[in-house]
């Protein structure tokens, strides 16, 4: 029974997340979320209590997924920067979807905005630890943003596709011997 409860809760949360993304938040009413999740509004309220409870749960999902991502970045064999700019496993991942929904919430709620800002700060910190240069860390974030934009809007390779490992080898600080 607890597994069914957890499954229903996750279905509702995912429906909310996807409606936030698909409608820029305007179509994510409790009624619409319940309908998309295949539950009654009463069932939704049983699991989350209110719209605030639903938003808090989505923010918690985002924080949990982001924390796991920070660890993957730190442990990446090719370094955090190479990991961060490789989008093959990121686009449409659970973290990507939660981040998009969190960004929609961030435009309206201080709690979500604080989480999104903290995510950017943490990514920067990890990249700066890897690259040992705050300007390179920020440039790497912007590079990844541009690659993400290309991957999610145009969805086809750029005429002169970036060789990320070669690029990073050129910008990564040289070890002092």
């Amino acid at each position: 029974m607890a597994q069914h409860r957890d499954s229903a809760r996750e279905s509702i949360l995912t429906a909310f997340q996807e409606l936030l993304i698909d409608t820029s938040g305007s179509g994510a009413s409790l009624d619409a979320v319940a309908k998309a999740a295949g539950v009654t509004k009463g069932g939704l309220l049983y699991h989350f209590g209110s719209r605030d409870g639903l938003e808090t749960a989505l923010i918690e999902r985002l924080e949990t997924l982001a924390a796991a991502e920070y660890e993957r970045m730190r442990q990446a064999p090719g370094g955090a920067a190479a990991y961060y700019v490789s989008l093959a496993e990121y686009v449409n991942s659970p973290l990507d979807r939660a981040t998009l929904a969190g960004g929609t919430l961030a435009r309206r709620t201080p709690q979500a905005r604080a989480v999104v800002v903290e995510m950017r700060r943490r990514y920067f910190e990890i990249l700066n630890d890897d690259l040992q240069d705050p300007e390179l860390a920020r440039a790497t974030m912007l590079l990844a943003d541009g690659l993400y934009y290309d991957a999610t809007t145009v969805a086809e390779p750029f005429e002169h596709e970036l060789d990320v490992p070669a690029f990073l080898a050129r910008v990564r600080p040289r070890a002092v011997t």
Side-chain angles (χ1 to χ4, degrees):
M1 189 68 158
Q3 184 178 5
H4 175 71
R5 220 176 13 249
D6 291 345
S7 174
R9 181 179 167 80
E10 285 302 307
S11 294
I12 295 165
L13 193 54
T14 299
F16 179 54
Q17 173 182 285
E18 295 307 310
L19 284 169
L20 284 171
I21 295 166
D22 294 344
T23 69
S24 297
S26 64
S29 67
L30 293 180
D31 289 326
V33 172
K35 182 177 179 184
V39 300
T40 65
K41 187 174 178 181
L44 183 155
L45 293 171
Y46 169 79
H47 289 286
F48 296 99
S50 66
R51 168 76 180 216
D52 286 344
L54 192 55
E55 290 178 0
T56 297
L58 182 64
I59 292 165
E60 289 169 355
R61 173 188 274 183
L62 178 56
E63 289 176 310
T64 299
L65 291 168
E69 185 74 350
Y70 306 144
E71 206 45 48
R72 282 190 292 277
M73 281 179 69
R74 285 188 187 95
Q75 303 300 321
Y83 179 87
Y84 188 76
V85 298
S86 90
L87 299 172
E89 294 180 27
Y90 179 75
V91 175
N92 286 321
S93 69
L95 176 59
D96 181 26
R97 303 306 288 173
T99 300
L100 290 170
T104 298
L105 281 181
R107 291 191 295 270
R108 295 193 244 314
T109 68
Q111 181 187 13
R113 185 179 187 325
V115 169
V116 170
V117 168
E118 177 63 9
M119 287 173 65
R120 299 292 288 173
R121 189 195 67 72
R122 295 281 300 275
Y123 286 135
F124 175 81
E125 176 185 277
I126 295 165
L127 290 168
N128 193 40
D129 287 347
D130 180 33
L131 297 169
Q132 296 296 300
D133 183 323
E135 290 170 347
L136 285 177
R138 182 66 180 126
T140 300
M141 291 177 77
L142 294 171
L143 170 66
D145 289 347
L147 291 169
Y148 178 83
Y149 176 82
D150 275 358
T152 58
T153 58
V154 180
E156 62 183 54
F158 185 67
E159 181 180 342
H160 301 284
E161 200 58 38
L162 179 65
D163 179 347
V164 173
F167 176 80
L168 289 172
R170 288 172 50 198
V171 299
R172 186 178 294 280
R174 305 286 187 250
V176 178
T177 57

